[in-house]
Amino acid sequence: MIPEGMRDVLPPESGELRAIEAALCRRFEAYGYGEVRTPWLEYAETLEAVEDDTLEAGYRLRDQQGHELMARTDMTVPVARLAAARFHEKPLPLRLFYVAPSIRPWAPQRSQDGEFVQAGAELLGLRSAAADAECVVLLCDCLAALGLRGFRVALGTVAFYTALVDSLGLDDDREKFLEALAGRDYPMLESIAGNAGVDQNALKVLWRTLELSGTRDALSQVRKMASSDAMDEAIRHLVEVRDLVANAGFEDSLALDFGLYQDLTYYSGVIFEAYAPGVGLPIASGGRYDGLLARFAWDIPGVGFAIALDRLHEALEEAGAVPAAAPACIAFAGGLDEPARAMELRRAGWAVAALPAGAPAPPRPRLQRSGGSYILELADGSEVSGSWRDVLRALGIA
Amino acid sequence: MKLGLAYHGGPPPAQLLDLLERAGLPAGALRAAVGPALVDVGEVTWLLAPGADVLEACVRGALDAGIAGKDLLLELAPPVHELLDLRVCNDVLVYATPEPAAGASHRGRPRVATRYPRVTRRHFSVTGRQVELVAFDAAALAPGLGIADGVVELRSRLLGDDGGASAGRPAGLHVREDVAACSARLVAGRAARALGGERLAELLDRLRASLEER
């Protein structure tokens, strides 16, 4: 028995996940990002520096001095803590990445394991559309490099939302309204808007904006609806990011979505989510969080994203693009008694599992000694029987 | 295109199918359909299944869009986008009790039977009242069984429309307050929005046009 929501990972899935992780690390490093690892336990106080609904249910324990500790519920906050503590006043920008598990209490509607691995990148110290674009490009490049076809990155911005809500002229109800907006609670939105006497036309604009997503005419429509400088500025910024991403060659993978929302409260600018055919929930999500580092006494901007490894794995399975975990392993009956021969195959790049002589026939590919000669049976059905030299030749070694 | 339609036994409501047909969707074949089932009609595959299943299929990216009742959306709060109020299958979630003036028992907090525990808990807590929840699918029968003082249920499930003819139907439940207005809604999962935005926008435009025609 293991705790609810947790899981074991067995071969070959474990090998596939490792191959995916390795491919992602190579992409992160190709853009100059350096890997960081942080402890999975943090002071509860550290994680609570950020208001986040997922914290309330997080796993907590106490150390021997009675300090309250907490299992991290995501990586962005620990990386922000690490950056502020270890790189304070160092030259910017700072490029960091991680591949690490986080833990959240399992709930059926989250359709994610209690412990889930994320691969993510954080670009700290730059406040520009170009920095936003680099993160989106890096995400697209990661997915494309793995051979994932047909994925889409939806790109939106929190700034457009807040500007739109400002234009509605809500005062006291602003926060409540944004909360309802994030939860897509339309009746609540309507009742708040009704109480505040919001203009019906302005509300219609809001609905229309929320509906327009991923459509080709979304941009022109939203431009027509923009009624304040802040909204114009948000649109201009998004277009700039989109053009830069297009310049990097990922135009077809990008869709502007002015109705995009994120549950996390620390996002302050662009937000984006990646979707792939056959997987209902986002395989990656990210955005700009300019206020986050300030909570750890280093007021620098930041933007980043995290890929959910299990969902990416599922998407790659759908696309038939799961990277091979390991070369097929040859089961060598009698190999335990002939370590030198097994070693010869391994040095040539084959995986060999040595078995006692006379072991019951394992699945192919398999190799066994029979008197003075060897029988090699490969996975494609071919068979070779003869001397050791024949075996080597059949395996393309000699 | 894959679409989902919440199914409660019996053919789907005629007014909903009429609306879909006016919007150019091939829904005629559903008039005699028996669910749960996958029904292929022309270019559209319909999933006829309980509303919760339709929502789950949307969340998991298996459907372009689904049609389900607002009551379920309120109760399950799934991560879907609610795109359009189809303004059919209108109903009201209500709080009802056997006596017009009942509702608080001698224990100080009434027992409320319901299929909607989350909606019920929220409704009473935001109005500053405490209730004891009884999860009971046939909620309207609970007061008669003596296991609840009141129910939160759709009005249409509470009172037999045919008066005395509905033998065995709970009689004498009095609506004390409305909890939420409900109707059929068009929803889409987050992935459908991102991957099939054009298709969805077109479907929305057609449905909206046929709503305005009415």
Side-chain angles (χ1 to χ4, degrees), chain B residues 40-102:
Chain B
D40 284 311
V41 189
E43 310 244 292
V44 178
T45 300
W46 292 96
L47 166 68
L48 279 182
D53 293 0
V54 168
L55 293 175
E56 185 66 21
C58 284
V59 168
R60 292 187 174 266
L63 298 176
D64 291 292
I67 296 166
K70 182 64 187 173
D71 52 331
L72 268 184
L73 285 164
L74 287 170
E75 176 61 23
L76 301 174
V80 295
H81 293 257
E82 192 180 313
L83 298 172
L84 192 61
D85 182 349
L86 297 177
R87 288 181 258 150
V88 291
C89 312
N90 296 314
D91 210 329
V92 188
L93 267 178
V94 295
Y95 174 47
T97 58
E99 298 295 327

Short mmCIF file of all heavy atoms in Angstrom, two decimals, chain B residues 40-102:
data_model
loop_
_atom_site.label_atom_id
_atom_site.label_comp_id
_atom_site.label_asym_id
_atom_site.label_seq_id
_atom_site.Cartn_x
_atom_site.Cartn_y
_atom_site.Cartn_z
N ASP B 40 -23.05 8.30 -34.17
CA ASP B 40 -22.46 9.01 -35.30
C ASP B 40 -23.56 9.53 -36.21
O ASP B 40 -24.38 8.75 -36.71
CB ASP B 40 -21.54 8.08 -36.09
CG ASP B 40 -20.22 7.86 -35.38
OD1 ASP B 40 -19.62 8.87 -34.97
OD2 ASP B 40 -19.80 6.70 -35.23
N VAL B 41 -23.59 10.84 -36.41
CA VAL B 41 -24.55 11.43 -37.33
C VAL B 41 -23.76 12.36 -38.25
O VAL B 41 -23.32 13.42 -37.82
CB VAL B 41 -25.63 12.24 -36.60
CG1 VAL B 41 -26.72 12.65 -37.59
CG2 VAL B 41 -26.22 11.45 -35.45
N GLY B 42 -23.59 11.95 -39.49
CA GLY B 42 -22.82 12.78 -40.42
C GLY B 42 -21.42 13.01 -39.88
O GLY B 42 -20.71 12.06 -39.52
N GLU B 43 -21.05 14.28 -39.76
CA GLU B 43 -19.69 14.63 -39.35
C GLU B 43 -19.55 14.67 -37.84
O GLU B 43 -18.46 14.89 -37.33
CB GLU B 43 -19.33 16.00 -39.91
CG GLU B 43 -19.60 16.15 -41.38
CD GLU B 43 -18.33 16.38 -42.16
OE1 GLU B 43 -17.74 17.46 -41.98
OE2 GLU B 43 -17.93 15.48 -42.92
N VAL B 44 -20.66 14.53 -37.14
CA VAL B 44 -20.64 14.72 -35.70
C VAL B 44 -20.79 13.39 -34.97
O VAL B 44 -21.62 12.57 -35.32
CB VAL B 44 -21.77 15.68 -35.25
CG1 VAL B 44 -21.76 15.83 -33.74
CG2 VAL B 44 -21.61 17.03 -35.92
N THR B 45 -19.93 13.17 -33.98
CA THR B 45 -20.12 12.06 -33.07
C THR B 45 -20.68 12.61 -31.76
O THR B 45 -20.08 13.49 -31.15
CB THR B 45 -18.78 11.36 -32.78
OG1 THR B 45 -18.25 10.87 -34.01
CG2 THR B 45 -18.96 10.19 -31.83
N TRP B 46 -21.86 12.11 -31.38
CA TRP B 46 -22.49 12.57 -30.14
C TRP B 46 -22.21 11.58 -29.02
O TRP B 46 -22.41 10.38 -29.19
CB TRP B 46 -24.00 12.68 -30.32
CG TRP B 46 -24.45 13.75 -31.25
CD1 TRP B 46 -24.74 13.62 -32.57
CD2 TRP B 46 -24.67 15.13 -30.92
NE1 TRP B 46 -25.13 14.83 -33.10
CE2 TRP B 46 -25.10 15.78 -32.11
CE3 TRP B 46 -24.56 15.88 -29.75
CZ2 TRP B 46 -25.41 17.12 -32.15
CZ3 TRP B 46 -24.86 17.24 -29.80
CH2 TRP B 46 -25.28 17.86 -30.99
N LEU B 47 -21.79 12.10 -27.89
CA LEU B 47 -21.73 11.28 -26.68
C LEU B 47 -23.00 11.56 -25.88
O LEU B 47 -23.23 12.69 -25.44
CB LEU B 47 -20.50 11.65 -25.84
CG LEU B 47 -20.50 11.10 -24.40
CD1 LEU B 47 -20.37 9.59 -24.40
CD2 LEU B 47 -19.40 11.74 -23.57
N LEU B 48 -23.84 10.52 -25.74
CA LEU B 48 -25.02 10.63 -24.88
C LEU B 48 -24.67 9.95 -23.57
O LEU B 48 -24.53 8.72 -23.54
CB LEU B 48 -26.21 9.93 -25.52
CG LEU B 48 -27.00 10.64 -26.60
CD1 LEU B 48 -28.15 9.77 -27.05
CD2 LEU B 48 -27.50 11.98 -26.08
N ALA B 49 -24.52 10.71 -22.51
CA ALA B 49 -24.08 10.12 -21.24
C ALA B 49 -24.51 11.05 -20.12
O ALA B 49 -24.89 12.20 -20.36
CB ALA B 49 -22.57 9.94 -21.25
N PRO B 50 -24.47 10.55 -18.89
CA PRO B 50 -24.81 11.43 -17.77
C PRO B 50 -23.98 12.72 -17.81
O PRO B 50 -22.84 12.71 -18.28
CB PRO B 50 -24.46 10.60 -16.54
CG PRO B 50 -24.57 9.18 -16.99
CD PRO B 50 -24.16 9.18 -18.44
N GLY B 51 -24.60 13.81 -17.34
CA GLY B 51 -23.96 15.11 -17.42
C GLY B 51 -22.56 15.14 -16.86
O GLY B 51 -21.65 15.75 -17.44
N ALA B 52 -22.34 14.44 -15.74
CA ALA B 52 -21.01 14.45 -15.12
C ALA B 52 -19.99 13.81 -16.06
O ALA B 52 -18.84 14.24 -16.13
CB ALA B 52 -21.04 13.71 -13.79
N ASP B 53 -20.44 12.79 -16.81
CA ASP B 53 -19.53 12.14 -17.76
C ASP B 53 -19.20 13.07 -18.93
O ASP B 53 -18.06 13.11 -19.41
CB ASP B 53 -20.15 10.85 -18.32
CG ASP B 53 -20.30 9.79 -17.24
OD1 ASP B 53 -19.91 10.08 -16.09
OD2 ASP B 53 -20.79 8.69 -17.55
N VAL B 54 -20.21 13.79 -19.40
CA VAL B 54 -19.99 14.74 -20.49
C VAL B 54 -18.96 15.78 -20.06
O VAL B 54 -18.03 16.10 -20.81
CB VAL B 54 -21.32 15.42 -20.90
CG1 VAL B 54 -21.06 16.61 -21.81
CG2 VAL B 54 -22.23 14.42 -21.59
N LEU B 55 -19.09 16.27 -18.83
CA LEU B 55 -18.15 17.27 -18.34
C LEU B 55 -16.75 16.69 -18.21
O LEU B 55 -15.76 17.31 -18.58
CB LEU B 55 -18.63 17.83 -17.00
CG LEU B 55 -19.92 18.66 -17.08
CD1 LEU B 55 -20.39 19.06 -15.69
CD2 LEU B 55 -19.70 19.89 -17.94
N GLU B 56 -16.68 15.46 -17.69
CA GLU B 56 -15.36 14.83 -17.53
C GLU B 56 -14.69 14.62 -18.90
O GLU B 56 -13.49 14.83 -19.04
CB GLU B 56 -15.53 13.48 -16.81
CG GLU B 56 -14.22 12.78 -16.46
CD GLU B 56 -13.38 13.52 -15.41
OE1 GLU B 56 -13.95 14.35 -14.67
OE2 GLU B 56 -12.17 13.28 -15.36
N ALA B 57 -15.50 14.23 -19.89
CA ALA B 57 -14.94 14.03 -21.24
C ALA B 57 -14.44 15.35 -21.81
O ALA B 57 -13.43 15.38 -22.52
CB ALA B 57 -15.98 13.40 -22.15
N CYS B 58 -15.13 16.45 -21.49
CA CYS B 58 -14.67 17.77 -21.93
C CYS B 58 -13.35 18.12 -21.25
O CYS B 58 -12.40 18.55 -21.89
CB CYS B 58 -15.71 18.84 -21.60
SG CYS B 58 -17.12 18.85 -22.70
N VAL B 59 -13.30 17.91 -19.94
CA VAL B 59 -12.10 18.24 -19.17
C VAL B 59 -10.90 17.47 -19.72
O VAL B 59 -9.79 17.99 -19.81
CB VAL B 59 -12.30 17.91 -17.68
CG1 VAL B 59 -10.98 17.97 -16.92
CG2 VAL B 59 -13.31 18.86 -17.06
N ARG B 60 -11.13 16.22 -20.11
CA ARG B 60 -10.03 15.38 -20.56
C ARG B 60 -9.74 15.52 -22.05
O ARG B 60 -8.96 14.74 -22.61
CB ARG B 60 -10.31 13.92 -20.20
CG ARG B 60 -10.28 13.73 -18.69
CD ARG B 60 -10.38 12.31 -18.25
NE ARG B 60 -10.19 12.24 -16.80
CZ ARG B 60 -9.03 12.00 -16.21
NH1 ARG B 60 -7.96 11.77 -16.92
NH2 ARG B 60 -8.94 11.98 -14.91
N GLY B 61 -10.39 16.47 -22.70
CA GLY B 61 -10.04 16.77 -24.07
C GLY B 61 -10.59 15.81 -25.10
O GLY B 61 -10.13 15.78 -26.23
N ALA B 62 -11.62 15.00 -24.72
CA ALA B 62 -12.15 14.03 -25.66
C ALA B 62 -13.27 14.61 -26.52
O ALA B 62 -13.64 14.02 -27.51
CB ALA B 62 -12.68 12.81 -24.90
N LEU B 63 -13.80 15.77 -26.13
CA LEU B 63 -14.91 16.37 -26.87
C LEU B 63 -14.56 17.80 -27.27
O LEU B 63 -13.82 18.49 -26.57
CB LEU B 63 -16.16 16.43 -25.98
CG LEU B 63 -16.74 15.11 -25.49
CD1 LEU B 63 -17.92 15.39 -24.56
CD2 LEU B 63 -17.18 14.24 -26.65
N ASP B 64 -15.11 18.24 -28.41
CA ASP B 64 -14.94 19.63 -28.79
C ASP B 64 -15.77 20.53 -27.89
O ASP B 64 -15.36 21.62 -27.53
CB ASP B 64 -15.36 19.84 -30.25
CG ASP B 64 -14.38 19.15 -31.20
OD1 ASP B 64 -13.24 19.62 -31.27
OD2 ASP B 64 -14.75 18.14 -31.82
N ALA B 65 -16.96 20.04 -27.55
CA ALA B 65 -17.82 20.81 -26.66
C ALA B 65 -18.88 19.87 -26.09
O ALA B 65 -19.08 18.77 -26.59
CB ALA B 65 -18.50 21.96 -27.41
N GLY B 66 -19.54 20.32 -25.04
CA GLY B 66 -20.57 19.51 -24.43
C GLY B 66 -21.74 20.38 -23.98
O GLY B 66 -21.61 21.61 -23.87
N ILE B 67 -22.89 19.74 -23.77
CA ILE B 67 -24.06 20.44 -23.28
C ILE B 67 -24.48 19.78 -21.98
O ILE B 67 -24.71 18.57 -21.93
CB ILE B 67 -25.20 20.41 -24.30
CG1 ILE B 67 -24.78 21.17 -25.57
CG2 ILE B 67 -26.47 21.00 -23.71
CD1 ILE B 67 -25.67 20.91 -26.76
N ALA B 68 -24.51 20.58 -20.92
CA ALA B 68 -24.86 20.03 -19.61
C ALA B 68 -25.61 21.09 -18.82
O ALA B 68 -25.58 22.29 -19.16
CB ALA B 68 -23.61 19.60 -18.86
N GLY B 69 -26.28 20.65 -17.77
CA GLY B 69 -27.08 21.57 -16.97
C GLY B 69 -26.23 22.42 -16.04
O GLY B 69 -25.18 21.99 -15.56
N LYS B 70 -26.72 23.63 -15.80
CA LYS B 70 -26.00 24.54 -14.91
C LYS B 70 -25.91 23.96 -13.50
O LYS B 70 -24.95 24.22 -12.77
CB LYS B 70 -26.72 25.89 -14.88
CG LYS B 70 -26.05 26.94 -14.03
CD LYS B 70 -24.69 27.29 -14.58
CE LYS B 70 -23.92 28.22 -13.64
NZ LYS B 70 -22.54 28.43 -14.09
N ASP B 71 -26.90 23.16 -13.11
CA ASP B 71 -26.88 22.57 -11.76
C ASP B 71 -25.62 21.74 -11.56
O ASP B 71 -24.95 21.84 -10.53
CB ASP B 71 -28.14 21.72 -11.52
CG ASP B 71 -28.38 20.69 -12.61
OD1 ASP B 71 -27.97 20.95 -13.76
OD2 ASP B 71 -28.96 19.64 -12.32
N LEU B 72 -25.27 20.96 -12.58
CA LEU B 72 -24.06 20.13 -12.47
C LEU B 72 -22.80 20.98 -12.51
O LEU B 72 -21.82 20.69 -11.82
CB LEU B 72 -24.02 19.13 -13.63
CG LEU B 72 -24.63 17.77 -13.35
CD1 LEU B 72 -24.42 16.87 -14.55
CD2 LEU B 72 -24.02 17.15 -12.11
N LEU B 73 -22.82 22.01 -13.35
CA LEU B 73 -21.65 22.89 -13.43
C LEU B 73 -21.39 23.54 -12.07
O LEU B 73 -20.25 23.67 -11.63
CB LEU B 73 -21.86 23.96 -14.49
CG LEU B 73 -21.73 23.46 -15.92
CD1 LEU B 73 -22.32 24.46 -16.91
CD2 LEU B 73 -20.27 23.22 -16.26
N LEU B 74 -22.47 23.93 -11.40
CA LEU B 74 -22.31 24.55 -10.09
C LEU B 74 -21.78 23.54 -9.09
O LEU B 74 -20.93 23.84 -8.27
CB LEU B 74 -23.66 25.10 -9.60
CG LEU B 74 -24.16 26.36 -10.27
CD1 LEU B 74 -25.59 26.63 -9.86
CD2 LEU B 74 -23.28 27.54 -9.92
N GLU B 75 -22.31 22.32 -9.15
CA GLU B 75 -21.95 21.32 -8.16
C GLU B 75 -20.53 20.81 -8.36
O GLU B 75 -19.76 20.68 -7.40
CB GLU B 75 -22.94 20.15 -8.22
CG GLU B 75 -22.61 18.99 -7.29
CD GLU B 75 -22.61 19.38 -5.82
OE1 GLU B 75 -23.25 20.39 -5.48
OE2 GLU B 75 -21.96 18.68 -5.03
N LEU B 76 -20.16 20.52 -9.61
CA LEU B 76 -18.87 19.87 -9.85
C LEU B 76 -17.75 20.89 -10.09
O LEU B 76 -16.58 20.56 -9.94
CB LEU B 76 -18.96 18.94 -11.06
CG LEU B 76 -20.00 17.82 -10.94
CD1 LEU B 76 -20.10 17.05 -12.24
CD2 LEU B 76 -19.64 16.88 -9.79
N ALA B 77 -18.12 22.11 -10.46
CA ALA B 77 -17.14 23.16 -10.75
C ALA B 77 -15.95 22.63 -11.54
O ALA B 77 -14.81 22.77 -11.13
CB ALA B 77 -16.68 23.83 -9.46
N PRO B 78 -16.20 21.98 -12.67
CA PRO B 78 -15.10 21.41 -13.45
C PRO B 78 -14.33 22.53 -14.16
O PRO B 78 -14.88 23.60 -14.39
CB PRO B 78 -15.81 20.53 -14.49
CG PRO B 78 -17.13 21.20 -14.69
CD PRO B 78 -17.49 21.85 -13.38
N PRO B 79 -13.04 22.28 -14.47
CA PRO B 79 -12.26 23.32 -15.16
C PRO B 79 -12.62 23.39 -16.64
O PRO B 79 -11.84 22.99 -17.50
CB PRO B 79 -10.81 22.87 -14.95
CG PRO B 79 -10.89 21.40 -14.78
CD PRO B 79 -12.22 21.11 -14.16
N VAL B 80 -13.81 23.86 -16.93
CA VAL B 80 -14.24 24.04 -18.32
C VAL B 80 -14.66 25.49 -18.53
O VAL B 80 -14.90 26.21 -17.57
CB VAL B 80 -15.45 23.13 -18.68
CG1 VAL B 80 -15.07 21.68 -18.61
CG2 VAL B 80 -16.64 23.44 -17.80
N HIS B 81 -14.71 25.89 -19.77
CA HIS B 81 -15.21 27.22 -20.10
C HIS B 81 -16.69 27.11 -20.41
O HIS B 81 -17.09 26.30 -21.22
CB HIS B 81 -14.49 27.78 -21.32
CG HIS B 81 -13.05 28.06 -21.07
ND1 HIS B 81 -12.57 29.32 -20.86
CD2 HIS B 81 -12.00 27.23 -20.95
CE1 HIS B 81 -11.27 29.27 -20.64
NE2 HIS B 81 -10.90 28.00 -20.69
N GLU B 82 -17.46 27.95 -19.71
CA GLU B 82 -18.88 27.95 -19.98
C GLU B 82 -19.12 28.99 -21.06
O GLU B 82 -18.97 30.18 -20.84
CB GLU B 82 -19.61 28.33 -18.68
CG GLU B 82 -21.07 28.10 -18.74
CD GLU B 82 -21.71 28.50 -17.43
OE1 GLU B 82 -21.19 28.10 -16.37
OE2 GLU B 82 -22.71 29.22 -17.49
N LEU B 83 -19.48 28.52 -22.25
CA LEU B 83 -19.46 29.42 -23.40
C LEU B 83 -20.80 30.09 -23.68
O LEU B 83 -20.85 31.22 -24.11
CB LEU B 83 -19.01 28.65 -24.65
CG LEU B 83 -17.60 28.07 -24.58
CD1 LEU B 83 -17.34 27.17 -25.76
CD2 LEU B 83 -16.58 29.19 -24.51
N LEU B 84 -21.89 29.36 -23.43
CA LEU B 84 -23.16 29.92 -23.87
C LEU B 84 -24.30 29.34 -23.04
O LEU B 84 -24.33 28.15 -22.75
CB LEU B 84 -23.36 29.56 -25.36
CG LEU B 84 -24.47 30.26 -26.12
CD1 LEU B 84 -24.23 31.77 -26.13
CD2 LEU B 84 -24.53 29.74 -27.55
N ASP B 85 -25.23 30.23 -22.67
CA ASP B 85 -26.47 29.78 -22.03
C ASP B 85 -27.46 29.47 -23.16
O ASP B 85 -27.84 30.36 -23.91
CB ASP B 85 -27.01 30.91 -21.14
CG ASP B 85 -28.28 30.50 -20.42
OD1 ASP B 85 -28.84 29.43 -20.75
OD2 ASP B 85 -28.70 31.24 -19.52
N LEU B 86 -27.83 28.21 -23.29
CA LEU B 86 -28.70 27.82 -24.41
C LEU B 86 -30.17 28.16 -24.13
O LEU B 86 -31.02 28.00 -25.00
CB LEU B 86 -28.55 26.32 -24.70
CG LEU B 86 -27.14 25.92 -25.14
CD1 LEU B 86 -27.04 24.41 -25.33
CD2 LEU B 86 -26.75 26.62 -26.43
N ARG B 87 -30.45 28.57 -22.92
CA ARG B 87 -31.78 29.05 -22.53
C ARG B 87 -32.89 28.03 -22.80
O ARG B 87 -34.01 28.39 -23.14
CB ARG B 87 -32.09 30.39 -23.20
CG ARG B 87 -31.27 31.53 -22.58
CD ARG B 87 -31.60 32.84 -23.23
NE ARG B 87 -30.59 33.26 -24.18
CZ ARG B 87 -30.85 34.00 -25.26
NH1 ARG B 87 -32.06 34.39 -25.53
NH2 ARG B 87 -29.87 34.34 -26.07
N VAL B 88 -32.54 26.75 -22.73
CA VAL B 88 -33.57 25.71 -22.77
C VAL B 88 -33.38 24.84 -21.52
O VAL B 88 -32.38 24.95 -20.82
CB VAL B 88 -33.48 24.82 -24.03
CG1 VAL B 88 -33.86 25.61 -25.26
CG2 VAL B 88 -32.09 24.23 -24.17
N CYS B 89 -34.36 23.95 -21.29
CA CYS B 89 -34.34 23.12 -20.08
C CYS B 89 -34.23 24.01 -18.84
O CYS B 89 -33.47 23.71 -17.91
CB CYS B 89 -33.19 22.11 -20.09
SG CYS B 89 -33.05 21.20 -21.61
N ASN B 90 -34.98 25.11 -18.84
CA ASN B 90 -34.88 26.03 -17.71
C ASN B 90 -35.48 25.41 -16.46
O ASN B 90 -36.51 24.75 -16.51
CB ASN B 90 -35.61 27.34 -18.03
CG ASN B 90 -34.95 28.06 -19.18
OD1 ASN B 90 -33.73 28.19 -19.20
ND2 ASN B 90 -35.75 28.50 -20.14
N ASP B 91 -34.80 25.60 -15.37
CA ASP B 91 -35.24 25.03 -14.10
C ASP B 91 -34.65 25.88 -12.99
O ASP B 91 -33.83 26.75 -13.24
CB ASP B 91 -34.75 23.57 -14.00
CG ASP B 91 -35.71 22.72 -13.18
OD1 ASP B 91 -36.34 23.27 -12.26
OD2 ASP B 91 -35.81 21.52 -13.46
N VAL B 92 -35.06 25.60 -11.76
CA VAL B 92 -34.51 26.34 -10.63
C VAL B 92 -34.15 25.36 -9.53
O VAL B 92 -34.96 24.47 -9.20
CB VAL B 92 -35.52 27.36 -10.06
CG1 VAL B 92 -34.84 28.25 -9.02
CG2 VAL B 92 -36.12 28.20 -11.16
N LEU B 93 -32.96 25.48 -9.00
CA LEU B 93 -32.62 24.73 -7.80
C LEU B 93 -33.27 25.46 -6.64
O LEU B 93 -33.09 26.67 -6.48
CB LEU B 93 -31.10 24.71 -7.59
CG LEU B 93 -30.31 23.54 -8.15
CD1 LEU B 93 -28.83 23.76 -7.86
CD2 LEU B 93 -30.77 22.23 -7.57
N VAL B 94 -34.05 24.72 -5.85
CA VAL B 94 -34.77 25.38 -4.76
C VAL B 94 -34.53 24.64 -3.44
O VAL B 94 -34.14 23.47 -3.44
CB VAL B 94 -36.29 25.42 -5.03
CG1 VAL B 94 -36.59 26.27 -6.24
CG2 VAL B 94 -36.85 24.01 -5.19
N TYR B 95 -34.77 25.36 -2.36
CA TYR B 95 -34.80 24.75 -1.04
C TYR B 95 -36.27 24.58 -0.69
O TYR B 95 -37.04 25.54 -0.75
CB TYR B 95 -34.08 25.64 -0.03
CG TYR B 95 -34.18 25.14 1.40
CD1 TYR B 95 -33.94 23.80 1.71
CD2 TYR B 95 -34.50 26.01 2.44
CE1 TYR B 95 -34.02 23.34 3.01
CE2 TYR B 95 -34.58 25.56 3.75
CZ TYR B 95 -34.34 24.22 4.03
OH TYR B 95 -34.42 23.77 5.32
N ALA B 96 -36.67 23.35 -0.39
CA ALA B 96 -38.08 23.10 -0.11
C ALA B 96 -38.22 22.28 1.17
O ALA B 96 -37.35 21.48 1.50
CB ALA B 96 -38.73 22.34 -1.27
N THR B 97 -39.31 22.52 1.89
CA THR B 97 -39.58 21.78 3.13
C THR B 97 -41.03 21.33 3.13
O THR B 97 -41.86 21.90 2.42
CB THR B 97 -39.33 22.68 4.36
OG1 THR B 97 -40.18 23.83 4.27
CG2 THR B 97 -37.89 23.12 4.44
N PRO B 98 -41.39 20.32 3.94
CA PRO B 98 -42.76 19.82 3.96
C PRO B 98 -43.76 20.85 4.46
O PRO B 98 -44.84 20.98 3.91
CB PRO B 98 -42.70 18.63 4.92
CG PRO B 98 -41.27 18.24 4.97
CD PRO B 98 -40.49 19.50 4.76
N GLU B 99 -43.41 21.62 5.47
CA GLU B 99 -44.34 22.61 6.00
C GLU B 99 -43.91 23.98 5.53
O GLU B 99 -42.71 24.26 5.47
CB GLU B 99 -44.33 22.58 7.54
CG GLU B 99 -44.76 21.26 8.13
CD GLU B 99 -46.21 20.97 7.81
OE1 GLU B 99 -47.01 21.94 7.72
OE2 GLU B 99 -46.55 19.80 7.63
N PRO B 100 -44.87 24.85 5.24
CA PRO B 100 -44.49 26.18 4.78
C PRO B 100 -43.55 26.89 5.75
O PRO B 100 -42.67 27.64 5.35
CB PRO B 100 -45.82 26.92 4.68
CG PRO B 100 -46.84 25.86 4.52
CD PRO B 100 -46.31 24.64 5.23
N ALA B 101 -43.71 26.64 7.03
CA ALA B 101 -42.92 27.40 8.00
C ALA B 101 -41.81 26.56 8.63
O ALA B 101 -41.16 27.00 9.56
CB ALA B 101 -43.83 27.96 9.09
N ALA B 102 -41.62 25.34 8.13
CA ALA B 102 -40.63 24.48 8.76
C ALA B 102 -39.22 24.85 8.33
O ALA B 102 -39.00 25.88 7.73
CB ALA B 102 -40.91 23.01 8.40
#
